Amino acid sequence: MGISAKKKERTEGEVDLGVAICAEFPAKCKSSAEVEFVLAWDMPIVKFGAGRRQYRRRYARFFPDASKRVEQMCSRALMSRIEWERKIDAWQQRILSDDSLPDWYKSALFNESYFLTDGGTCWFEYDDEWRSTERQMSNESAKYFKEFGRFAYLEAWEYYMLNTYDVHFYSSFALLENWPLIELAIQLDFADQVLSSCDRKSVNINESTRTAVKRLGRLPHDLGNPMDEPWLHLNAYALSDTCEWKDLNLKFVLTCYRDYEKIVKIYFNDDNEMKGCLLRRFYDLSSGIIADAKAWDVDGDDLIENAGQPDQTYDVWSMHGSSAYCGGLWLCALECVRRMALTLGEVVDAQKFANKLNNARKAYERKLWNGKYFDFDEHSTDHKSIMADQLCGFWFMCITDGKVDDVIITRQQICASLKTIFEYNVEKFANGQLGPVNAMMPSGVVDSTGIQSEEVWGGVAYALASFHLLVEENESAFKTAEGWYRSCWERYGLQYQSPEAINESSYYRAIGYMRPLAIWAMQSALDALRNKRQ
C-alpha cells in the first residue's frame, strides 16, 4: 500500500516561478562554441530572528539602483570574469608553485577557507540608526564601519553565535592574511563592547546560577544569536558566566596589539590622527582589563589563577590554580600592554607592566615548568598532563612578531615544549594520523579528564603547526597539521564542513566550525620566515 502525499492548497494569486535561459549561435560541423551564463542573487535586506532591525548587505553599496541591480551585477560579472580569474590565480599561485610545500597543505589552505563565506557570514553597510540603540559605539568605529562595513560570522553551523571571540582569536589569521581591514572591523566592534554592560540576568547551565549578561569592563563572548537580535542582545552563550573566563579578555589585549602592528600601522601609516587614536583606545581598554584582572591573582604573585572550573574556551574542562594555557596568555597580555605603553610614551606605566611581567614570569616558571614542558596547571589530579594548547599566548605573540626569541619565556623552553607535545600528543596518539590530542599524560595515555581533553581541535592543530614552522621544524609542523586535514577531508567525508573536534573513536562534534581557519597562521609563519631570509 502506498502513502500519498497531501497536495498543498494553492492560495489565490499564487504562482510558481521558473526561469529558463538559452542562447543561439552558429557552429560548424565538428566545432564547438562557448556560451557564458551568469547567475546572481539580489537579497540585500537582512532581518534577524527578533526582527527589530533591518540590515543592508554590503554589496548593495556598489549597485545603488535597486531596479537595475541584478542586471548590473550580471553585467559586472561578465565584463570582469577574466580579470577576477587572473587575480584569483595570482593570489593562489605563490603557494601552488612553491615546491617546498606539500600538496595536501596547498589544498588545505584554500579549502579550509570555505567557512569565510559559508559560515553564516554577514557583511553589512553602515546605518546611522545603529547609534541610537548602540550608545557604546565610538566615533572611530562608526567612521570605520562607514568605510569598510560591519562583518560577522557564526562560530559554527550548530552554534548560533556571531563572532565568538575566543574562537575568532585563532581563526582571525584568515582575515588578517587576506582581508585585514575586515579583521580590524571585528576588533573595533568588540572594543566598543568592553565598557558596556547589561544587567539582565541569564542562566548559566554549568553552575546553575543567574548572573548579569554582560559586566562593565569585560569582553562579551559573542555578539549575539542570529535567531534573536545580534549587537543588541550580546552573549548568547549560556553554558557559563564568560565574564569570569580567564582567557577571553586577555585574547582581546593580544589582538589589540597584533592588529595595531599588522593593520593600523600599515594601512593608516599616513593618517597619524587615526593611528594614534586607535592605539590610545586599544591601550586604555587593555590596561583597564589588566587592572581588573588583578582579582584573579589570589596568591599575590602577579600571576592569575583559574578557579577550579571551566573558566576559559575549554568550557567543560577545569583548571585549578595557575595554568599553562591561561598563565601564558596573561604573560603575553602584560608584554603587549607594556609595548603599547612605550609606543604612547607612557614610560611609568610601561615600567609598571614590566615589573608585573617579571614577577609573573618567575611564578609561572616556578609553578609550572618541569624541564620539558609546562604542567597543565597547579592543583588538578592530572596536573602533569601535557596540554597541546599550553603555548597559546606565546604562539600568538611569536606569530605577530614573526620570530621566536627570549622575550617572555626562552626559545629553549618553547622548542622543548613543542618537541614534547609532538612526541606525545601527536605521535603517541592514533598512530600519529589524527593530529594533536588536547591532553596526553606523561605515561603515554590520553588524559581522560573530560570530553575535551580527549579530542583533537583543528584550530589548535593548525596553530601548533604554525609554531613548529616558526622555529623551522617543518617535518613536525606538517605532520601535526596533516593528520587533522586528511582525517576530515579524506577519511571521514567532512569536506567543507570541518568540525570543532574529533576523537580517536572517530566521533566528531560541531561540523562547519570557525577555528580551523587558523590554518592561515601557518602561512603567516611561512611568510615571516621567507621575509627573514630575503
Side-chain angles (χ1 to χ4, degrees), residues 62-74:
F62 306 102
F63 305 96
D65 187 345
S67 66
K68 298 180 180 179
R69 186 176 292 133
V70 173
E71 178 184 345
Q72 291 173 347
M73 290 167 66
C74 291

Side-chain angles (χ1 to χ4, degrees), residues 32-49:
S32 62
E34 289 186 359
V35 178
E36 294 184 352
F37 294 96
V38 173
L39 178 63
W41 286 264
D42 180 30
M43 296 184 289
I45 304 303
V46 173
K47 281 188 177 182
F48 292 111

Side-chain angles (χ1 to χ4, degrees), residues 241-493:
D241 180 10
T242 59
C243 291
E244 291 300 328
W245 277 19
K246 305 305 186 291
D247 59 345
L248 191 58
N249 294 273
L250 305 181
K251 288 178 175 180
F252 174 78
V253 175
L254 268 68
T255 307
C256 281
Y257 174 73
R258 184 200 65 182
D259 286 3
Y260 175 75
E261 290 291 321
K262 296 293 188 180
I263 305 174
V264 177
K265 284 175 65 173
I266 295 172
Y267 291 91
F268 298 94
N269 189 51
D270 296 329
D271 188 344
N272 289 328
E273 181 181 357
M274 184 69 164
K275 187 167 62 173
C277 183
L278 290 180
L279 178 59
R280 169 56 66 179
R281 186 154 168 245
F282 284 165
Y283 172 72
D284 288 346
L285 292 171
S286 297
S287 58
I289 285 170
I290 295 296
D292 195 43
K294 182 179 180 180
W296 296 334
D297 175 19
V298 297
D299 59 5
D301 60 1
D302 284 333
L303 181 65
I304 63 170
E305 280 82 29
N306 293 89
Q309 58 191 24
D311 52 0
Q312 25 68 37
T313 194
Y314 296 89
D315 54 2
V316 292
W317 189 8
S318 297
M319 298 176 184
H320 299 252
S322 296
S323 65
Y325 169 71
C326 290
L329 284 165
W330 172 248
L331 296 182
C332 294
L334 289 172
E335 173 63 11
C336 286
V337 76
R338 184 194 72 82
R339 293 183 186 184
M340 287 190 280
L342 278 179
T343 304
L344 288 166
E346 302 283 0
V347 180
V348 174
D349 281 0
Q351 187 58 52
K352 177 185 69 176
F353 292 125
N355 294 340
K356 186 179 286 288
L357 173 59
N358 188 47
N359 293 337
R361 176 172 47 229
K362 291 177 181 177
Y364 188 73
E365 292 185 350
R366 183 181 70 253
K367 291 177 174 180
L368 302 171
W369 178 246
N370 61 33
K372 292 184 176 180
Y373 63 94
F374 292 94
D375 290 345
F376 175 71
D377 66 11
E378 282 186 277
H379 304 309
S380 293
T381 303
D382 295 333
H383 69 279
K384 287 292 183 183
S385 181
I386 305 164
M387 186 184 189
D389 208 13
Q390 63 183 264
L391 299 173
C392 179
F394 308 113
W395 156 72
F396 195 92
M397 279 291 295
C398 290
I399 294 291
T400 298
D401 290 344
K403 60 183 179 180
V404 179
D405 51 26
D406 296 343
V407 170
I408 304 176
I409 59 174
T410 67
R411 181 185 174 97
Q412 184 275 328
Q413 288 173 317
I414 289 172
C415 290
S417 298
L418 287 173
K419 181 175 184 289
T420 301
I421 294 166
F422 181 72
E423 289 179 355
Y424 282 81
N425 301 58
V426 177
E427 292 198 307
K428 291 181 184 293
F429 176 71
N431 297 316
Q433 300 298 309
L434 190 52
V437 66
N438 278 338
M440 179 74 81
M441 298 305 297
S443 62
V445 176
V446 173
D447 183 347
S448 58
T449 300
I451 182 175
Q452 290 175 337
S453 64
E454 299 175 338
E455 293 176 330
V456 179
W457 286 12
V460 174
Y462 290 138
L464 261 179
S466 69
F467 215 173
H468 278 282
L469 288 172
L470 206 57
V471 296
E472 301 186 63
E473 296 173 351
N474 288 21
E475 184 177 350
S476 53
F478 287 120
K479 185 171 183 181
T480 295
E482 183 179 8
W484 168 268
Y485 179 73
R486 290 198 186 278
S487 295
C488 288
W489 292 75
E490 296 177 6
R491 288 197 285 272
Y492 300 149

